[in-house]
Amino acid sequence: MVETTPIRFFEHMPSQGELVDRFDRRLTYLRISVTDRCNMRCDYCRPAADAYKAEPHSQILTFEEIERIARLAAEKGVNKIRITGGEPLVRRDMPKLVEKLAAIPGITDLSMTTNATLLAKYADALVQAGLNRINISLDSLNALRFRKLTGAELAPVLEGIQAAKRAGLAPIKLNTVLMRGINAGEGQSEVAELIDFAVEHGATIRFIELMPMKYGMDWDKHYISIDEVLAEPGVSERIDLTAVAENCNTAASYLPLKNASQKVGFITPMSERFCDGCNRLRLTADGHLRSCLPADSELNLRDLMRGSGSDDDILAMFRRSALMKPKIGTYAFDKDSEQRSMIHIGG
Ligand code: SAM
C-alpha cells in the first residue's frame, strides 16, 4: 500500500532534532535505491519477466532530488548512506551521484550494494568520487548454477571483486542468500566453498536467510535457516561455533573463523529478528520513503517535492515516516497484498 495522504496533518510537527521513532530508535541510516532496473534475473528478488515492469524514467528520482533528500536527512542526523537498487551500476553516471553524496556534511559512511557485473568498469571512478565501502552479492561460485539463478555470467562478477580490491574498496563484504536445493542444504551446499573464497580474497562473507516476497521464488521450498546451515559438512571445521556471536549493532551477527582473521556474518530476518537496533529508513527509486522493509507502507516524497514541497515539508514527511516504523517488521507477506518486490523497494 503506497500511502499518498497529504502531509497537512503533520505540518505543525516540530522540524528540529534528530529522526527518532516511537521506540526511541535513532534513524541514522538511509538506504537509497537509485533504480528499479537490474541486469540480473534472480527469482527471489523480482517478479517473473511477464509480471515485471520497471517504472518509467520520469518517475525515478533525479540525482539532484536524491541529493536534496540526502542533505536534509543528514541535517537531521543521518550519517550513513547505502546506494542500492535494482542494480545501481546500470544507472548512468553513478560516480557523479557518489560525488554529490560524499560531499554532504555529516555523511561519514557511504557504501553501495552491487552485483559487481559492472564493477570492473567503475571501481576506480567510484573510489575517486568518495565511495567508502562495497557489498557484493554472490550466491554461487558455480558458473552454471550462477547463470541459472541470475541469468548472468559469473566471470564479470569475479573480475568486479578483483577490481574492487585493487581500487581499495575495503572491507569488501560478500552477501549470499541461502536457498535450499540451490546453494545450501544436503548435496547442494556451497557454504564452505564460499567461506574459503572470501578468505582467499580478504573479504567478509555474510549469509542471509531467504525472505518471502509476494512475487518470485517458492519461499517454502527454498528457505533454510542459518542454524541448519551451520550444521552442514565443512562448516564447523571453518567457523568457531563455540564463540559468542558478535553483534556490532547491525543486522548481521558475526562468528570468528578458525584459520583466518576474518569473521563470518549471519543475517537472520526469518529465524531471529534484529529490529531492536534498527536505525534504517529506505528511499525507493521512485521516491517513496519506507520505514521498514517488510511493512508495506510508504510515503510519496517524490510528488511532494515535485509539487514544490519546501525543505520543512520534506523533513515533516521524514518524521512521519519515522513515526510509522513498526517495533518489529513482520515477514508474513499476504499473497493478495500489493506488496512490492525487492527490486522495486531496493534491497
Ligand atoms: N543489485 C544489487 C545486488 O545484487 O546486490 C543491489 C540490490 S539487491 C536487491 C540487494 C540484496 O538484496 C542482494 O544481496 C540480494 O541478494 C538481496 N535480496 C533480494 N531479494 C531477497 C530475498 N527475497 N531474500 C533475501 N535477500 C534478498
Side-chain angles (χ1 to χ4, degrees):
M1 181 242 315
V2 176
E3 198 177 318
T4 51
T5 318
I7 59 151
R8 290 282 162 246
F9 174 67
F10 290 86
E11 68 189 354
H12 299 301
M13 286 176 68
S15 59
Q16 283 146 18
E18 297 186 327
L19 295 166
V20 181
D21 74 3
R22 289 175 296 148
F23 310 99
D24 275 341
R25 293 174 295 200
R26 278 181 65 220
L27 307 181
T28 54
Y29 179 11
L30 182 62
R31 292 174 78 101
I32 300 178
S33 173
V34 293
T35 179
D36 62 348
R37 288 159 204 261
C38 187
N39 52 358
M40 284 191 175
R41 304 279 175 273
C42 308
D43 280 351
Y44 57 73
C45 187
R46 62 190 281 161
D50 53 346
Y52 178 68
K53 213 164 161 268
E55 295 284 340
H57 288 298
S58 61
Q59 303 301 306
I60 301 298
L61 294 183
T62 63
F63 283 178
E64 289 67 32
E65 287 171 328
I66 293 173
E67 184 192 11
R68 180 180 176 199
I69 293 169
R71 194 173 286 280
L72 288 167
E75 281 173 20
K76 295 300 163 200
V78 167
N79 52 32
K80 180 171 170 181
I81 288 179
R82 173 171 298 281
I83 299 170
T84 182
E87 170 47 42
L89 293 177
V90 301
R91 184 156 175 185
R92 206 174 303 146
D93 291 334
M94 199 42 54
K96 282 193 184 150
L97 178 66
V98 168
E99 200 173 343
K100 285 177 190 291
L101 297 178
I104 295 176
I107 299 302
T108 53
D109 186 357
L110 180 60
S111 60
M112 178 181 282
T113 298
T114 173
N115 63 30
T117 45
L118 298 169
L119 200 50
K121 185 170 171 195
Y122 290 115
D124 287 331
L126 290 168
V127 171
Q128 273 158 29
L131 192 74
N132 302 126
R133 296 186 298 116
I134 201 134
N135 285 9
I136 295 174
S137 300
L138 182 66
D139 291 341
S140 178
L141 289 167
N142 175 309
L144 282 177
R145 194 179 274 183
F146 188 89
R147 191 185 303 142
K148 196 164 168 224
L149 185 66
T150 66
E153 298 301 317
L154 177 63
V157 174
L158 301 181
E159 282 164 28
I161 293 170
Q162 296 289 5
K165 277 166 63 180
R166 278 196 304 274
L169 279 167
I172 295 175
K173 286 185 185 153
L174 301 174
N175 288 337
T176 301
V177 178
L178 295 165
M179 292 161 279
R180 188 191 301 284
I182 296 181
N183 61 2
E186 214 182 317
Q188 299 292 327
S189 181
E190 287 192 53
V191 170
E193 205 181 334
L194 282 157
I195 292 172
D196 293 346
F197 177 86
V199 169
E200 186 190 329
H201 290 273
T204 299
I205 190 152
R206 302 169 340 146
F207 294 103
I208 306 173
E209 288 177 346
L210 182 67
M211 294 179 277
M213 307 302 282
K214 179 187 173 194
Y215 301 103
M217 70 172 5
D218 188 347
W219 182 79
D220 293 343
K221 188 169 154 203
H222 293 293
Y223 170 72
I224 182 166
S225 71
I226 293 287
D227 277 353
E228 194 176 332
V229 166
L230 290 181
E232 284 182 356
V235 172
S236 63
E237 284 94 309
R238 290 168 173 81
I239 303 177
D240 182 358
L241 298 174
T242 62
V244 177
E246 214 179 277
N247 184 323
C248 326
N249 252 349
T250 64
S253 58
Y254 290 88
L255 282 174
L257 282 169
K258 284 184 173 166
N259 297 313
S261 58
Q262 290 107 314
K263 296 184 168 63
V264 179
F266 303 97
I267 303 181
T268 54
M270 307 313 299
S271 65
E272 201 179 333
R273 292 289 141 68
F274 37 77
C275 302
D276 277 357
C278 185
N279 57 356
R280 300 169 180 199
L281 285 173
R282 291 182 140 80
L283 179 65
T284 65
D286 61 356
H288 289 73
L289 270 181
R290 188 175 177 111
S291 57
C292 172
L293 177 60
D296 232 4
S297 51
E298 297 180 354
L299 296 174
N300 189 337
L301 198 49
R302 179 199 62 213
D303 286 358
L304 175 71
M305 288 173 80
R306 292 185 182 174
S308 67
S310 68
D311 287 357
D312 279 347
D313 292 338
I314 292 170
L315 285 171
M317 195 169 266
F318 259 100
R319 286 180 198 292
R320 189 171 158 209
S321 183
L323 295 178
M324 287 163 70
K325 196 171 172 69
K327 189 170 183 354
I328 295 175
T330 313
Y331 286 85
F333 287 137
D334 172 1
K335 292 221 181 247
D336 297 324
S337 78
E338 287 175 34
Q339 188 221 336
R340 303 226 247 179
S341 58
M342 192 74 110
I343 192 170
H344 273 123
I345 299 168

